[in-house]
Amino acid sequence: MAEGRIIKALSGFYYVQAEEHIYQCRGRGLFRNKKITPLVGDFVTFDISNPNEGYIMAIKQRENELVRPPIANIDQAIIVSSAVDPAFSTVLLDQFLVLIEAKNIKPVIFITKMDLTSDEERSNMISYQKDYQEIGYDVELLSTKEPSHLPNFAHYFSNNITVFAGQSGVGKSSILNALKPSLLLKTAEISKSLGRGKHTTRHVELQQIQHGLVADTPGFSSLDLSEIDVEELADCFPEMREIKADCKFRGCMHHKEPKCAVKQAVERKEIAAYRYEHYLRFLKNNQSRKPRY
Protein backbone atom coordinates (compact mmCIF):
# COMPACT_ATOMS: atom_id res chain seq x y z
CA MET A 1 0.00 0.00 0.00
CA ALA A 2 1.17 3.51 -0.79
CA GLU A 3 -0.09 7.06 -0.21
CA GLY A 4 -0.31 9.92 -2.67
CA ARG A 5 -2.42 12.68 -4.18
CA ILE A 6 -4.63 12.49 -7.27
CA ILE A 7 -3.31 15.04 -9.75
CA LYS A 8 -5.45 14.10 -12.78
CA ALA A 9 -8.72 12.29 -13.49
CA LEU A 10 -9.44 11.22 -17.05
CA SER A 11 -11.60 8.53 -18.69
CA GLY A 12 -12.10 6.52 -15.50
CA PHE A 13 -8.42 6.58 -14.53
CA TYR A 14 -6.92 8.48 -11.62
CA TYR A 15 -3.30 9.55 -11.81
CA VAL A 16 -1.79 9.50 -8.33
CA GLN A 17 1.49 11.20 -7.51
CA ALA A 18 3.56 9.62 -4.76
CA GLU A 19 6.89 11.42 -4.32
CA GLU A 20 8.44 11.59 -7.81
CA HIS A 21 6.32 8.86 -9.41
CA ILE A 22 2.85 9.00 -10.99
CA TYR A 23 0.71 5.85 -10.90
CA GLN A 24 -2.30 5.18 -13.10
CA CYS A 25 -5.08 3.88 -10.85
CA ARG A 26 -8.71 2.88 -10.96
CA GLY A 27 -11.24 3.40 -8.19
CA ARG A 28 -12.56 0.39 -6.34
CA GLY A 29 -16.15 -0.72 -6.97
CA LEU A 30 -16.76 0.08 -3.32
CA PHE A 31 -16.69 3.80 -4.15
CA ARG A 32 -19.34 3.42 -6.84
CA ASN A 33 -21.57 1.47 -4.49
CA LYS A 34 -21.30 4.26 -1.91
CA LYS A 35 -21.63 6.94 -4.62
CA ILE A 36 -18.21 8.33 -3.70
CA THR A 37 -16.19 9.83 -6.53
CA PRO A 38 -12.45 10.32 -6.06
CA LEU A 39 -11.50 13.92 -6.90
CA VAL A 40 -8.37 15.59 -8.17
CA GLY A 41 -6.60 16.85 -5.05
CA ASP A 42 -7.70 13.90 -2.90
CA PHE A 43 -5.12 12.25 -0.68
CA VAL A 44 -5.53 8.51 -1.13
CA THR A 45 -4.06 5.17 -0.22
CA PHE A 46 -3.62 2.85 -3.18
CA ASP A 47 -2.49 -0.66 -3.97
CA ILE A 48 0.16 -0.99 -6.67
CA SER A 49 -0.62 -4.10 -8.68
CA ASN A 50 2.32 -3.48 -11.00
CA PRO A 51 5.04 -0.80 -11.15
CA ASN A 52 2.80 1.80 -12.80
CA GLU A 53 -0.82 0.85 -12.13
CA GLY A 54 -2.95 0.23 -9.09
CA TYR A 55 -6.28 0.59 -7.32
CA ILE A 56 -7.37 3.40 -5.01
CA MET A 57 -8.32 1.73 -1.72
CA ALA A 58 -9.29 4.68 0.49
CA ILE A 59 -9.81 8.45 0.30
CA LYS A 60 -8.66 10.57 3.22
CA GLN A 61 -10.98 13.17 4.72
CA ARG A 62 -11.20 16.34 2.61
CA GLU A 63 -10.50 19.84 3.88
CA ASN A 64 -12.90 21.22 1.26
CA GLU A 65 -14.18 20.50 -2.22
CA LEU A 66 -15.67 22.23 -5.24
CA VAL A 67 -18.23 20.85 -7.67
CA ARG A 68 -17.10 22.81 -10.72
CA PRO A 69 -14.30 22.14 -11.26
CA PRO A 70 -14.42 18.85 -9.30
CA ILE A 71 -11.39 19.28 -7.04
CA ALA A 72 -10.61 18.84 -3.33
CA ASN A 73 -8.23 20.15 -0.67
CA ILE A 74 -7.68 23.58 -2.19
CA ASP A 75 -5.56 26.12 -0.30
CA GLN A 76 -6.52 29.21 -2.26
CA ALA A 77 -8.65 30.49 -5.10
CA ILE A 78 -7.40 33.31 -7.29
CA ILE A 79 -10.43 35.30 -8.39
CA VAL A 80 -9.73 36.94 -11.72
CA SER A 81 -11.82 39.98 -12.62
CA SER A 82 -11.17 42.27 -15.56
CA ALA A 83 -11.20 46.04 -15.24
CA VAL A 84 -12.90 46.28 -18.65
CA ASP A 85 -14.24 43.95 -21.37
CA PRO A 86 -16.08 42.43 -19.53
CA ALA A 87 -16.72 45.37 -17.23
CA PHE A 88 -15.66 45.12 -13.59
CA SER A 89 -18.50 44.13 -11.26
CA THR A 90 -18.28 44.29 -7.47
CA VAL A 91 -21.46 42.16 -7.27
CA LEU A 92 -19.84 39.35 -9.26
CA LEU A 93 -16.59 39.66 -7.32
CA ASP A 94 -18.45 39.49 -4.00
CA GLN A 95 -20.41 36.43 -5.16
CA PHE A 96 -17.13 34.64 -5.84
CA LEU A 97 -15.67 35.83 -2.54
CA VAL A 98 -18.71 34.59 -0.58
CA LEU A 99 -18.58 31.16 -2.25
CA ILE A 100 -14.86 30.81 -1.57
CA GLU A 101 -15.16 32.03 2.04
CA ALA A 102 -17.98 29.51 2.59
CA LYS A 103 -15.61 26.71 1.51
CA ASN A 104 -12.85 27.89 3.88
CA ILE A 105 -10.54 28.61 0.96
CA LYS A 106 -8.25 31.66 0.98
CA PRO A 107 -9.20 34.15 -1.76
CA VAL A 108 -6.73 36.26 -3.74
CA ILE A 109 -7.95 38.89 -6.23
CA PHE A 110 -6.29 39.57 -9.60
CA ILE A 111 -7.76 42.43 -11.66
CA THR A 112 -6.66 42.17 -15.30
CA LYS A 113 -6.61 44.37 -18.41
CA MET A 114 -5.42 47.46 -16.54
CA ASP A 115 -3.59 48.47 -19.74
CA LEU A 116 -6.97 48.94 -21.44
CA THR A 117 -8.46 51.31 -18.84
CA SER A 118 -9.17 55.03 -19.13
CA ASP A 119 -7.79 57.34 -16.46
CA GLU A 120 -11.16 57.30 -14.66
CA GLU A 121 -11.42 53.50 -14.81
CA ARG A 122 -7.88 53.11 -13.51
CA SER A 123 -8.65 55.46 -10.62
CA ASN A 124 -11.78 53.42 -9.79
CA MET A 125 -9.81 50.17 -9.83
CA ILE A 126 -7.18 51.60 -7.47
CA SER A 127 -10.00 52.70 -5.14
CA TYR A 128 -11.56 49.22 -5.19
CA GLN A 129 -8.14 47.68 -4.61
CA LYS A 130 -7.79 49.77 -1.45
CA ASP A 131 -11.28 48.77 -0.24
CA TYR A 132 -10.62 45.05 -0.57
CA GLN A 133 -7.11 45.32 0.86
CA GLU A 134 -8.55 47.00 3.95
CA ILE A 135 -10.84 43.98 4.38
CA GLY A 136 -7.71 41.83 4.36
CA TYR A 137 -7.59 40.48 0.82
CA ASP A 138 -4.51 40.43 -1.41
CA VAL A 139 -5.34 42.39 -4.57
CA GLU A 140 -3.09 42.68 -7.63
CA LEU A 141 -3.69 44.93 -10.64
CA LEU A 142 -2.15 43.51 -13.81
CA SER A 143 -2.15 43.45 -17.57
CA THR A 144 -2.68 40.14 -19.35
CA LYS A 145 -1.30 41.69 -22.55
CA GLU A 146 2.07 42.25 -20.92
CA PRO A 147 2.35 39.33 -18.47
CA SER A 148 6.13 39.31 -18.10
CA HIS A 149 5.81 40.60 -14.52
CA LEU A 150 3.67 37.63 -13.46
CA PRO A 151 6.65 35.63 -12.13
CA ASN A 152 6.85 38.34 -9.44
CA PHE A 153 3.70 36.73 -8.03
CA ALA A 154 5.41 33.36 -7.51
CA HIS A 155 4.91 33.66 -3.74
CA TYR A 156 1.16 33.19 -4.23
CA PHE A 157 1.69 29.74 -5.73
CA SER A 158 4.59 28.33 -3.74
CA ASN A 159 3.52 25.34 -1.61
CA ASN A 160 -0.17 25.96 -2.37
CA ILE A 161 -2.94 24.14 -4.23
CA THR A 162 -4.54 26.88 -6.31
CA VAL A 163 -7.70 27.05 -8.39
CA PHE A 164 -8.78 29.98 -10.53
CA ALA A 165 -12.24 31.53 -10.42
CA GLY A 166 -13.95 34.15 -12.53
CA GLN A 167 -16.26 34.66 -15.46
CA SER A 168 -15.15 33.72 -18.97
CA GLY A 169 -12.98 36.15 -20.90
CA VAL A 170 -11.26 37.87 -17.97
CA GLY A 171 -7.85 36.35 -18.70
CA LYS A 172 -7.52 33.27 -16.50
CA SER A 173 -6.03 31.09 -19.23
CA SER A 174 -3.70 33.90 -20.32
CA ILE A 175 -2.31 34.15 -16.77
CA LEU A 176 -1.73 30.39 -16.60
CA ASN A 177 -0.05 30.41 -20.03
CA ALA A 178 2.23 33.25 -18.91
CA LEU A 179 3.16 31.40 -15.70
CA LYS A 180 3.86 28.15 -17.56
CA PRO A 181 4.00 28.55 -21.37
CA SER A 182 4.14 24.78 -21.90
CA LEU A 183 0.49 24.56 -20.77
CA LEU A 184 -0.74 26.12 -24.03
CA LEU A 185 -4.24 26.58 -22.65
CA LYS A 186 -6.71 27.88 -25.20
CA THR A 187 -7.76 31.41 -24.39
CA ALA A 188 -11.45 32.07 -24.73
CA GLU A 189 -12.44 35.01 -26.91
CA ILE A 190 -15.30 37.13 -25.66
CA SER A 191 -18.52 36.45 -27.49
CA LYS A 192 -19.81 39.93 -28.22
CA SER A 193 -23.36 38.71 -28.79
CA LEU A 194 -23.56 36.83 -25.49
CA GLY A 195 -21.18 38.99 -23.47
CA ARG A 196 -19.35 35.91 -22.27
CA GLY A 197 -16.60 33.60 -23.44
CA LYS A 198 -16.69 29.98 -24.49
CA HIS A 199 -15.69 27.16 -22.17
CA THR A 200 -12.43 25.60 -23.34
CA THR A 201 -11.43 23.10 -20.65
CA ARG A 202 -12.54 19.46 -20.47
CA HIS A 203 -10.76 17.91 -17.51
CA VAL A 204 -8.99 19.01 -14.34
CA GLU A 205 -5.31 18.42 -13.79
CA LEU A 206 -2.92 19.76 -11.16
CA GLN A 207 0.16 21.24 -12.79
CA GLN A 208 3.46 22.13 -11.15
CA ILE A 209 3.68 25.93 -11.37
CA GLN A 210 6.00 28.19 -9.38
CA HIS A 211 6.73 25.50 -6.74
CA GLY A 212 3.04 24.80 -6.18
CA LEU A 213 0.16 22.94 -7.80
CA VAL A 214 -2.38 24.80 -9.93
CA ALA A 215 -5.56 23.40 -11.47
CA ASP A 216 -5.10 23.99 -15.20
CA THR A 217 -8.71 24.95 -15.73
CA PRO A 218 -10.12 28.39 -16.46
CA GLY A 219 -11.83 27.98 -13.10
CA PHE A 220 -15.28 27.62 -11.71
CA SER A 221 -18.05 29.99 -12.74
CA SER A 222 -21.05 28.45 -10.95
CA LEU A 223 -22.47 31.20 -8.74
CA ASP A 224 -25.23 29.45 -6.82
CA LEU A 225 -25.19 30.88 -3.29
CA SER A 226 -28.28 28.91 -2.24
CA GLU A 227 -26.20 26.25 -0.47
CA ILE A 228 -25.07 28.84 2.08
CA ASP A 229 -27.35 29.04 5.13
CA VAL A 230 -28.70 32.54 5.75
CA GLU A 231 -27.31 32.37 9.31
CA GLU A 232 -23.80 31.78 7.91
CA LEU A 233 -23.88 34.37 5.12
CA ALA A 234 -22.50 37.25 7.21
CA ASP A 235 -19.53 35.06 8.19
CA CYS A 236 -18.55 35.05 4.50
CA PHE A 237 -17.95 38.82 4.77
CA PRO A 238 -14.80 39.11 6.95
CA GLU A 239 -15.47 42.72 7.96
CA MET A 240 -18.90 41.68 9.30
CA ARG A 241 -17.62 38.48 10.88
CA GLU A 242 -15.12 40.47 12.93
CA ILE A 243 -17.69 42.73 14.61
CA LYS A 244 -20.89 40.66 14.75
CA ALA A 245 -20.28 39.87 18.44
CA ASP A 246 -20.88 43.58 19.15
CA CYS A 247 -24.48 43.43 17.89
CA LYS A 248 -27.11 43.74 20.64
CA PHE A 249 -28.95 40.59 19.61
CA ARG A 250 -27.35 37.19 19.30
CA GLY A 251 -28.10 35.78 15.86
CA CYS A 252 -28.49 39.30 14.43
CA MET A 253 -29.04 39.18 10.66
CA HIS A 254 -27.77 42.78 10.28
CA HIS A 255 -30.92 43.82 8.48
CA LYS A 256 -33.84 45.20 10.52
CA GLU A 257 -32.53 44.59 14.03
CA PRO A 258 -31.81 47.61 16.28
CA LYS A 259 -28.35 48.36 17.69
CA CYS A 260 -26.63 46.31 14.99
CA ALA A 261 -22.85 46.77 15.01
CA VAL A 262 -22.65 46.04 11.27
CA LYS A 263 -25.18 48.72 10.30
CA GLN A 264 -23.43 51.17 12.61
CA ALA A 265 -20.11 50.39 10.93
CA VAL A 266 -21.68 51.02 7.51
CA GLU A 267 -22.96 54.40 8.75
CA ARG A 268 -19.44 55.26 9.97
CA LYS A 269 -18.11 54.16 6.54
CA GLU A 270 -15.97 51.49 8.18
CA ILE A 271 -17.73 48.93 5.98
CA ALA A 272 -18.17 49.81 2.30
CA ALA A 273 -21.84 50.55 1.56
CA TYR A 274 -21.79 48.46 -1.64
CA ARG A 275 -20.50 45.43 0.28
CA TYR A 276 -23.37 45.75 2.76
CA GLU A 277 -25.88 46.19 -0.09
CA HIS A 278 -24.56 42.99 -1.70
CA TYR A 279 -24.95 41.17 1.62
CA LEU A 280 -28.60 42.28 1.81
CA ARG A 281 -29.18 41.21 -1.80
CA PHE A 282 -27.68 37.76 -1.22
CA LEU A 283 -29.62 37.45 2.05
CA LYS A 284 -32.92 38.29 0.37
CA ASN A 285 -32.26 35.82 -2.45
CA ASN A 286 -31.49 33.01 -0.03
CA GLN A 287 -34.44 33.78 2.24
CA SER A 288 -36.86 33.80 -0.70
CA ARG A 289 -35.76 30.51 -2.22
CA LYS A 290 -38.21 27.64 -1.91
CA PRO A 291 -37.24 24.92 0.55
CA ARG A 292 -36.00 21.72 -1.04
CA TYR A 293 -37.39 18.41 0.19
Side-chain angles (χ1 to χ4, degrees):
M1 298 286 278
E3 295 187 358
R5 181 186 357 231
I6 299 175
I7 61 166
K8 181 168 71 169
L10 188 63
S11 302
F13 287 100
Y14 301 96
Y15 296 84
V16 181
Q17 182 166 12
E19 296 181 351
E20 299 302 314
H21 298 283
I22 295 174
Y23 300 88
Q24 180 177 287
C25 298
R26 289 188 179 275
R28 292 177 63 203
L30 173 69
F31 296 132
R32 285 193 298 276
N33 297 338
K34 292 184 176 180
K35 295 185 177 178
I36 297 171
T37 303
L39 296 178
V40 170
D42 272 335
F43 290 101
V44 299
T45 56
F46 62 102
D47 178 37
I48 306 167
S49 53
N50 65 50
N52 291 306
E53 189 167 318
Y55 280 87
I56 293 174
M57 307 300 287
I59 301 171
K60 299 194 174 182
Q61 186 171 345
R62 294 166 181 158
E63 292 288 324
N64 51 50
E65 65 182 273
L66 294 173
V67 177
R68 283 182 284 180
I71 187 170
N73 300 314
I74 309 117
D75 295 313
Q76 68 177 359
I78 293 179
I79 306 171
V80 185
S81 295
S82 54
V84 293
D85 192 27
F88 182 76
S89 165
T90 55
V91 177
L92 197 58
L93 175 56
D94 285 346
Q95 283 180 304
F96 278 117
L97 285 168
V98 165
L99 281 168
I100 292 164
E101 290 276 3
K103 298 284 187 180
N104 293 316
I105 300 170
K106 176 183 164 62
V108 176
I109 302 167
F110 281 6
I111 299 176
T112 62
K113 305 187 184 181
M114 289 298 294
D115 52 321
L116 304 180
T117 57
S118 65
D119 290 343
E120 182 181 0
E121 288 165 339
R122 171 171 284 273
S123 176
N124 288 338
M125 289 304 104
I126 292 171
S127 178
Y128 284 129
Q129 180 187 36
K130 182 181 178 185
D131 287 348
Y132 284 96
Q133 284 175 332
E134 286 180 353
I135 294 168
Y137 294 125
D138 291 319
V139 187
E140 300 287 356
L141 306 180
L142 55 109
S143 159
T144 31
K145 294 293 183 186
E146 300 170 10
S148 58
H149 60 292
L150 276 169
N152 297 334
F153 301 151
H155 62 282
Y156 286 119
F157 302 96
S158 184
N159 300 315
N160 280 323
I161 306 289
T162 302
V163 67
F164 279 72
Q167 68 184 124
S168 296
V170 294
K172 299 184 294 292
S173 294
S174 298
I175 291 171
L176 282 166
N177 286 335
L179 288 165
K180 188 173 183 178
S182 61
L183 284 178
L184 295 176
L185 284 178
K186 294 179 182 177
T187 53
E189 293 296 325
I190 290 287
S191 167
K192 295 295 182 183
S193 59
L194 296 175
R196 58 176 185 253
K198 299 174 183 176
H199 293 286
T200 57
T201 301
R202 293 181 179 177
H203 75 277
V204 181
E205 181 175 353
L206 290 174
Q207 296 274 358
Q208 289 276 354
I209 294 180
Q210 304 288 343
H211 306 293
L213 291 171
V214 178
D216 72 334
T217 159
F220 65 91
S221 55
S222 173
L223 289 173
D224 181 11
L225 304 186
S226 63
E227 290 183 9
I228 303 171
D229 291 336
V230 291
E231 293 82 7
E232 296 173 358
L233 184 60
D235 287 341
C236 299
F237 289 77
E239 67 271 48
M240 297 184 193
R241 185 171 66 225
E242 287 176 8
I243 62 172
K244 69 174 187 177
D246 296 332
C247 293
K248 180 178 181 181
F249 295 101
R250 195 173 179 180
C252 180
M253 300 301 290
H254 320 301
H255 184 202
K256 296 178 180 178
E257 299 88 345
K259 296 188 178 179
C260 166
V262 168
K263 289 193 291 185
Q264 291 169 354
V266 175
E267 290 170 6
R268 293 194 299 268
K269 297 185 178 180
E270 293 169 4
I271 290 177
Y274 63 86
R275 287 272 291 173
Y276 178 63
E277 288 164 10
H278 297 165
Y279 164 75
L280 292 180
R281 181 194 293 198
F282 303 159
L283 180 68
K284 182 179 178 182
N285 289 345
N286 277 19
Q287 286 175 329
S288 63
R289 75 179 190 269
K290 293 180 182 179
R292 288 174 289 185
Y293 299 102

